[in-house]
Amino acid sequence: MNRHITLGEFIVENQKDFPYAKGELSALLSSIRLAGKMVNQAINKAGLSEILGKMGNQNIQGEEQAKLDVMANDVFISTLKSRGEICGIASEELDDFLVFDEPKHQNAKYVILIDPLDGSSNIDVDITVGTIFSIYRRISPVGTPATFEDFLQPGNAQVAAGYLIYGTSTILVYTSGNGVNGFTFDPGIGSFFLSHPDIKIPKVGKIYSVNEGNYIHFPGGVKKIIRWMQEIDQAEGRPFTSRYTGSLVADFHRNMLLGGIYFYPEGTTAPKGKLRLLYECNPIAFITEQAGGMCTNGTERILNLKPTELHQRVPFYCGSENLMLQAHSFLN
Ligand code: AHG
Ligand code: MN
Ligand code: MN
């Protein structure tokens, strides 16, 4: 690993490519990095502290909140609020978006949407979890409070997006529209170093990631995709390998590096699937396309969808081109 380029240096070097507000976006990415380090530290010692387990209440989407969901949410919000780079935040764990309107936020040009802790069901069993973020330039005028419209922009308006994966090592992956780069955290030094420059998703993948326990609920086209993955075809190397952790960040990160497809389709019990357009699908779609992969709701590009509500769910398919094209041929 090249220990010469830190995330901080990389951001400063590459801010030349940003068309506007260079310093602020760099500072914002630094704030995310700082909050990520705090969450990383808490996750690493979760079993020794009092933060495993459930809160005993549900979030706005009717999902049971884990203590770490709430802790990660609080860390990101307080860190970002204590600085002046954003005028508001929307989080998977909050009912509504938050407006930051202290004097120091007066000139803030950005909003963030965040899934503070992705893969909550895996926290207590020591399996990889993550944080996913998405950054937009506000639509409302600077100096006024952030509005609903600032948060409901289509994914193709994202300025930057990324995730932290708290796995065997902690890695921060992000794009600001000029390729995808990954930075591995060195806990001894306390810095992220460029470890995965210019990531490209292999055009041909052989891994599929889906919750097959829901098979009975899936539409016919989705069942065909799964059966096709499982058929014997020596020339193509089928049957393909199935890998699914239940943490989108982990399943996506693996497939991005090795080649594969992740899908969370609609089903009879989940008419729009499960994943959230604003906090999960859009940022992952931006990264996927920047890495040369494809990301759709089964028919349309995720990045072209016009959101109508904060916690909107959409069917989601993303990954290597060969598998995405094959999936589309069964879906349409
Ligand atoms: P979150 O923990 O932020 O609620 O997200 C969980 C998501 C995603 O990470 C994962 O791929 C999917 O839900 C798993 O859902 P199933 O348990 O239904 O497979
Ligand atoms: Mn999630
Ligand atoms: Mn979450």
Side-chain angles (χ1 to χ4, degrees), residues 59 63 69 92-93 115 117-121 211 214 244 246-249 251 262 264 274-276 280:
N59 66 14
E63 295 166 344
D69 278 326
E92 186 186 278
E93 300 302 335
D115 177 358
L117 213 292
D118 174 64
S120 325
S121 69
N211 187 340
N214 292 329
Y244 188 78
S247 290
L248 169 64
V249 162
D251 289 314
Y262 174 101
Y264 206 112
K274 177 182 183 187
L275 300 183
R276 275 91 4 168
E280 292 165 324

Side-chain angles (χ1 to χ4, degrees), residues 243-301:
R243 289 280 184 272
Y244 188 78
T245 66
S247 290
L248 169 64
V249 162
D251 289 314
F252 173 75
H253 187 73
R254 178 198 52 245
N255 291 358
M256 178 173 70
L257 296 184
L258 300 181
I261 185 172
Y262 174 101
F263 47 113
Y264 206 112
E266 69 276 34
T268 47
T269 50
K272 292 179 175 168
K274 177 182 183 187
L275 300 183
R276 275 91 4 168
L277 176 59
L278 297 182
Y279 317 111
E280 292 165 324
C281 305
N282 273 337
I284 295 293
F286 190 19
I287 294 165
T288 301
E289 291 198 2
Q290 283 292 316
M294 289 174 63
C295 193
T296 71
N297 64 357
T299 49
E300 285 171 84
R301 228 177 130 215

Side-chain angles (χ1 to χ4, degrees), residues 73 77 81 86-91 94 96-101 111-112 146 151 310:
N73 187 57
I77 290 174
K81 192 174 181 182
I86 57 170
C87 56
I89 187 167
S91 164
L94 298 179
D96 208 348
F97 62 90
L98 289 181
V99 174
F100 294 171
D101 53 5
V111 293
I112 278 200
F151 296 94
L310 275 183

